Amino acid sequence: MMSKMKSLVKFIVVLVLTLVVGGANLSCIRVTLGPEGEITGIDIALKLGGQLPTIDSFDASPSSITLGDSSTIEWNVSGATEVSIDQGIGSVVHAGSIEVSPTATMTYTLTATSAAGSVTRSVTIAVTTAPPTSPPPTLPTINSFTADPTSISAGGSSSLTWNVSGVSSVTIAPGGGSLPASGSATASPASTTTYTLTATNAAGTVTQSVTITVAAAPPPPSGDAATCEQALFDAVNALRIANGRPALTRNGYIDGLCRQHAQYTATQGVLSHDNFSARCSAIMASIPGMHSCAENVLQNNLPCDANAMAQQWYNSPGHKLNLLNPAYTLSGMGIVIDGGGKIWACQIFAGP
């Protein structure tokens, strides 16, 4: 009996090893014995398994995206009875692709299943937030562009003032040249002129204009003033000639500037050279070839004694220097006689 039991055990061990080596998955073995211990039956329950499925490929392209973009997941599986991808995708065919747009970095796992079991593979798609986009450029803003005063007399000046923001280039025409975003400049137009400020940046250009009105020069004086003007002009030329200097040529445009300033000093009741630079600039802008200026003023009383007034200038070192300067070729003369009989005179010299 014992010998038969040993033989039975040996037989069962060999049978199990044979089945396992052969690739079978044992579920259970039942051996039936007879009265004498002999084997009357053997029941073997096998679970047939085979090979696990193979995930040949499982990739995401691109593996990194910007929020709002998409990536394509592709896979290829063999030997599976079921294939699925998580993150809400679900069951899929053995080979295919799908486009996904995760809103945050996400890992997708593919599970391939067969009778032998399941295998998995994962891919991760990194999601980055796009850098904030710069707002589109806006046009420059001309906060202000003014002329003060907007109306001047011939030879006078006005102040142009401006303030611009969001700008890369500022110009004013006529004038030319690049200007700062804010500033001021003196304008001395010889005639009514419109000035246009142009502000430019990457978005484009904006403009704004102001007009400076120039009043016409006063007409030549009549009567005593006109006679006195010419007499004083001739007396100055006589002194120049006597000192070996060429005579000056009288210029009507400069006459107008002189009369404007003579009227100004008469109104103010005091001699001055206020705004002389504006008068000189007007001459250089209006008379070709003129690049230098000087000015003499005086106050005397009626009756008009032109020689005495010319001598008054001649006896003053600074006035004499202007009067005899050989560089000056053109000149104007302006005389205003006020209600009290005072003579207010202005002479401007100009040269190349």
Side-chain angles (χ1 to χ4, degrees):
M1 181 69 175
M2 185 60 70
S3 174
K4 290 182 178 181
M5 289 298 294
K6 290 181 179 179
S7 297
L8 174 60
V9 170
K10 183 177 180 180
F11 171 78
I12 292 172
V13 170
V14 171
L15 177 61
V16 169
L17 289 175
T18 302
L19 291 173
V20 170
V21 172
N25 292 325
L26 290 174
S27 178
C28 105
I29 297 176
R30 183 175 63 185
V31 178
T32 305
L33 300 177
E36 301 297 325
E38 72 277 14
I39 298 173
T40 60
I42 299 175
D43 295 319
I44 300 175
L46 298 178
K47 183 194 295 183
L48 299 178
Q51 296 293 321
L52 289 170
T54 301
I55 300 175
D56 301 307
S57 63
F58 184 48
D59 302 294
S61 179
S63 60
S64 179
I65 63 172
T66 300
L67 181 64
D69 291 343
S70 61
S71 176
T72 299
I73 295 176
E74 294 184 275
W75 65 92
N76 192 305
V77 177
S78 57
T81 56
E82 182 181 349
V83 180
S84 64
I85 301 174
D86 64 358
Q87 305 295 0
I89 296 175
S91 181
V92 295
V93 296
H94 288 64
S97 64
I98 188 170
E99 189 174 277
V100 294
S101 298
T103 58
T105 297
M106 186 169 291
T107 297
Y108 294 83
T109 300
L110 180 146
T111 301
T113 303
S114 71
S118 298
V119 292
T120 62
R121 186 181 297 181
S122 299
V123 293
T124 298
I125 299 174
V127 178
T128 58
T129 303
T133 57
S134 300
T138 58
L139 289 170
T141 300
I142 300 176
N143 302 309
S144 62
F145 180 45
T146 60
D148 184 28
T150 57
S151 181
I152 61 173
S153 300
S157 62
S158 177
S159 178
L160 295 174
T161 303
W162 65 93
N163 183 282
V164 184
S165 55
V167 69
S168 57
S169 171
V170 177
T171 60
I172 295 177
S178 182
L179 298 170
S182 62
S184 62
T186 299
S188 303
S191 59
T192 297
T193 301
T194 296
Y195 292 86
T196 299
L197 182 147
T198 300
T200 303
N201 67 9
T205 296
V206 292
T207 62
Q208 187 171 321
S209 298
V210 295
T211 298
I212 300 175
T213 301
V214 180
S222 58
D224 292 343
T227 301
C228 192
E229 273 185 3
Q230 188 61 54
L232 181 55
F233 189 88
D234 292 342
V236 168
N237 264 343
L239 289 172
R240 284 176 64 90
I241 292 169
N243 285 274
R245 308 294 194 270
L248 297 164
T249 300
R250 192 169 181 184
N251 180 275
Y253 177 73
I254 303 177
D255 280 347
L257 298 178
C258 292
R259 291 173 189 137
Q260 286 282 348
H261 189 58
Q263 182 62 63
Y264 174 82
T265 57
T267 301
Q268 298 294 316
V270 62
L271 293 175
S272 75
H273 294 288
D274 291 352
N275 297 317
F276 168 67
S277 61
R279 291 187 288 281
C280 186
S281 295
I283 290 170
M284 290 188 289
S286 303
I287 303 176
M290 295 295 103
H291 298 97
S292 61
C293 308
E295 181 179 81
N296 286 345
V297 294
L298 66 78
Q299 187 272 310
N300 209 299
N301 299 292
L302 288 175
C304 176
D305 186 340
N307 290 327
M309 289 191 289
Q311 194 66 41
Q312 186 178 337
W313 276 333
Y314 190 79
N315 291 340
S316 168
H319 294 89
K320 180 179 180 180
L321 185 65
N322 293 337
L323 188 150
L324 296 181
N325 192 328
Y328 298 132
T329 57
L330 299 181
S331 183
M333 183 70 72
I335 286 180
V336 170
I337 302 174
D338 67 19
K342 292 182 178 180
I343 298 171
W344 301 85
C346 172
Q347 182 171 22
I348 298 177
F349 307 87

